[in-house]
Every structure is written in C-alpha cells, then in structure tokens.
Amino acid sequence: MITHGNEIKLFAGNSNRPLAEAIARKLNTTLGEIEVGKFSDGETSIHIGETVRGRDLFIIQSTSYPVNDNLMELLIMIDAAKRASAGRVTAVVPYFGYARQDRKARSRDPITAKLVADLLMSAGADRVLTMDLHAAQIQGFFNIPVDNLLGGPTLYNYFANKFNTEKCDEDFIVVSPDIGSVNRARKVAERLNCQMAIIDKRRPRANVMEVMNIIGNVEGKKCLLVDDMIDTAGTIVQGAQALVEKGAKEIYACCTHAVLSGPAIERLKNSPILELVMLDTVHLPEEKRLPNIKILSTADIFAAAIENVYLDKPMSKIYD
C-alpha cells in the first residue's frame, strides 16, 4: 500500500500567506495553485487549480482571527484535496485555535478543542503539524499523528544572544506570568542559565487578571516574561506592571502566538515592556506592529518538519 506520493505539494489558505510563502522558499518550491474565496452569500469557496493525485499535500493554515472563517477554509481545503485523490494530507496549523477550550471549566461547557480535532479528522487530514499547543493533552484528542513543534528554542536563542546568558548574568531573570506557564518558563530559564520567578495571580473572570504576589526576587533585575500566547495582553501587561512595582529594572516579554485581540495593542502601548518578541504563527497586520514588537520567523522549523514528515524522518533533530 502506498502511504504517500512521490512529490511534495504545499497549499495555503488566507490566514497567514507570508509564513506559507516563507516555508515554500525554504523548501525551494512554490505554493500550489488554489483559489480560496467566498461566494456572494458568504460561504467559503475552494478550487484546487492543479493535479494532486497521489501527491503528499501540506495545507498551511493558522486558525487565527477570523477563527471560524479560517477553520472552514482549512476543512474545505482538506476535503477538496481528499476528493481529488491526494495521497496523504497533512494539516499544518501553526496556531491551533480553540486550544484553550480543552476541558470543561464549568458544567455544561463544551470541549471545543476536541470538536475541532474531530472535524479535521472527518475532513480527511492524515496528520497534523502545529506549534506550542496551549494544552499538550490536545494531541490525545486526535486518532491521527500530531507533531507539536516547539517555539521556545527560537525565542530563547534570541535572548541568549541579546543578553549573553552563557555567563549566568545574575541581573537577568525569567518570569512566568502565571502558574500555568511555569513549566514553559522553567525550560527557558534552564536554557538561559538564569533564575526564575513566578507571578501568582487570581482571575475573577475571563480576560480579567488581578496580580496577587510575586514569588522570587526581581528587584534591580532585567525580567523576561515568557508565555505561549498573548491575547488581550491583560496578563502580560499587568504582570509587567507588578514587576516594576517590585523594583524590576527592565521588562521584556516573549510569546509564540501573538493573537493581540481587543484592547491588546492599546495596553501594550502604555505598558513598561521595552521589547515584545513573538513568532509569526499568527499574521500581525502592519497597523498592529508597534515599534517595540519584534517578530521572529518559524519558517525554518516548519520547513524542516514538513521535509521530515515527507521523508518519514524523526523530528528530534530539528532543534539541534
């Protein structure tokens, strides 16, 4: 039985064309011909403009804002590919939307991350390639292989070069903005050879954060706040303000997924964060690009991962 074809094909929806094009350049190829639009009534329209029979397809699409439109584009592109007799279809989802709805926080709540996983499998995806899932257990929602790539190495390599952390700068400290990010921050602190602090917070309701206490000494130090995602920026900005009040000298922040919805940009404008470093899993329009925002590319990692999937090679060597 043939598991995949003899030629790689990359296709992309509308969510993050710049990243898709960068991945294609890294692989010395071009994006496949596909029309992704809408009918007059708002329904998603997809047409693949070239043969994909027996080919190994990689469909690149973040399910970021507008989430439902981008998700439908992805599902319909997968369905179109399978109906056109593609050999194997991998959904490359740099940012996996609905990942925060991974459990029942209250009675009668949905588990939407599981629903999205079911939809991707029903559409015909043979594999999913993503980065820094908000909840790692989402991999278990799928009955197909899921490769959850790491954005951390790109981020901590940037700050390692920026602050020369090989010398164990005692004035530099990594800070977790909440308890949920402790493991992520600890890994960064270990790689940067520095100490770690934790912001203990209480969240009275969704997207509202109240800082309670800071575990660790940040006085007179350069602080790096580490999170997987910044949405409305309430957590990161209030955390930065709390660090300033505790005597921190400089505040930096980084994240994999810069959702930056609602009041996020206004909050970041007025925050004490000197530099916010993010990856390009979510396309950031020009009007949201503040002077203190730096975007690092994930094209290298995704290109290497796509090549490894295509050649059936292990993922572990990507970060070497």
Side-chain angles (χ1 to χ4, degrees):
M1 180 179 178
I2 298 174
T3 57
H4 59 86
N6 58 4
E7 185 180 349
I8 192 170
K9 291 276 190 181
L10 302 183
F11 291 92
N14 292 321
S15 69
N16 199 339
R17 293 283 300 191
L19 175 58
E21 289 166 357
I23 293 170
R25 287 194 297 271
K26 295 290 182 182
L27 291 168
N28 295 317
T29 187
T30 57
L31 293 177
E33 184 182 341
I34 188 170
E35 297 174 11
V36 184
K38 289 186 181 298
F39 293 108
S40 59
D41 63 353
E43 293 179 357
T44 298
S45 167
I46 301 291
H47 174 69
I48 298 174
E50 59 185 271
T51 182
V52 296
R53 184 177 297 274
R55 303 297 196 264
D56 206 351
L57 260 63
F58 294 84
I59 299 176
I60 304 167
Q61 176 84 333
S62 282
T63 50
S64 49
Y65 178 84
V67 181
N68 297 331
D69 285 351
N70 287 330
L71 177 58
M72 282 305 299
E73 283 185 10
L74 175 59
L75 295 172
I76 298 172
M77 283 190 289
I78 294 170
D79 182 75
K82 296 300 286 189
R83 293 179 187 278
S85 301
R88 180 172 65 171
V89 177
T90 299
V92 182
V93 191
Y95 169 68
F96 189 94
Y98 287 110
R100 285 173 285 183
Q101 298 183 45
D102 63 302
R103 66 194 184 284
K104 292 184 68 170
R106 301 171 299 176
S107 60
R108 298 180 297 280
D109 273 2
I111 304 179
T112 318
K114 175 65 169 72
L115 174 61
V116 172
D118 290 342
L119 289 170
L120 287 169
M121 290 186 292
S122 295
D126 297 296
R127 191 182 197 100
V128 173
L129 190 58
T130 187
M131 178 172 279
D132 282 353
L133 283 170
H134 185 70
Q137 65 265 25
I138 291 174
Q139 294 174 86
F141 293 173
F142 290 86
N143 295 323
I144 56 176
V146 177
D147 292 301
N148 185 26
L149 302 178
L150 304 176
T154 303
L155 292 168
Y156 57 62
N157 285 341
Y158 172 82
F159 283 101
N161 293 328
K162 184 180 182 73
F163 295 112
N164 192 20
T165 54
E166 291 182 2
K167 296 182 179 179
C168 190
D169 186 355
E170 294 183 358
D171 291 333
F172 183 78
I173 189 168
V174 169
V175 182
S176 172
D178 54 30
I179 299 299
S181 296
V182 168
N183 286 338
R184 186 176 298 105
R186 181 180 292 117
K187 289 178 183 177
V188 175
E190 288 173 353
R191 292 300 187 109
L192 295 180
N193 194 26
C194 67
Q195 297 177 328
M196 188 183 85
I198 303 169
I199 297 176
D200 178 30
K201 69 177 185 182
R202 179 177 299 169
R203 189 188 295 273
R205 60 185 185 276
N207 292 327
V208 176
M209 193 269 283
E210 177 186 353
V211 174
M212 300 299 293
N213 191 27
I214 294 178
I215 304 168
N217 180 23
V218 299
E219 186 173 358
K221 295 185 178 181
K222 292 176 284 188
C223 298
L224 172 61
L225 285 157
V226 177
D227 212 344
D228 69 320
M229 177 192 308
I230 298 178
D231 186 358
T232 61
T235 295
I236 210 82
V237 167
Q238 290 186 44
Q241 189 59 47
L243 293 172
V244 169
E245 292 171 2
K246 290 292 184 179
K249 182 170 62 175
E250 297 175 2
I251 311 294
Y252 300 86
C254 66
C255 71
T256 301
H257 310 299
V259 178
L260 302 186
S261 65
I265 296 301
E266 195 62 33
R267 285 173 172 172
L268 290 169
K269 279 182 183 177
N270 301 316
S271 78
I273 297 173
L274 296 178
E275 185 178 39
L276 172 59
V277 181
M278 60 188 65
L279 303 184
D280 60 350
T281 57
V282 177
H283 177 63
L284 193 66
E286 288 296 329
E287 61 269 20
K288 290 187 175 183
R289 299 195 180 194
L290 300 175
N292 65 333
I293 285 179
K294 183 172 182 62
I295 302 173
L296 305 180
S297 176
T298 57
D300 280 338
I301 295 175
F302 277 105
I306 287 171
E307 186 174 34
N308 284 1
V309 170
Y310 176 65
L311 297 174
D312 296 320
K313 289 185 176 181
M315 291 289 181
S316 56
K317 302 294 184 182
I318 289 178
Y319 311 102
D320 290 350

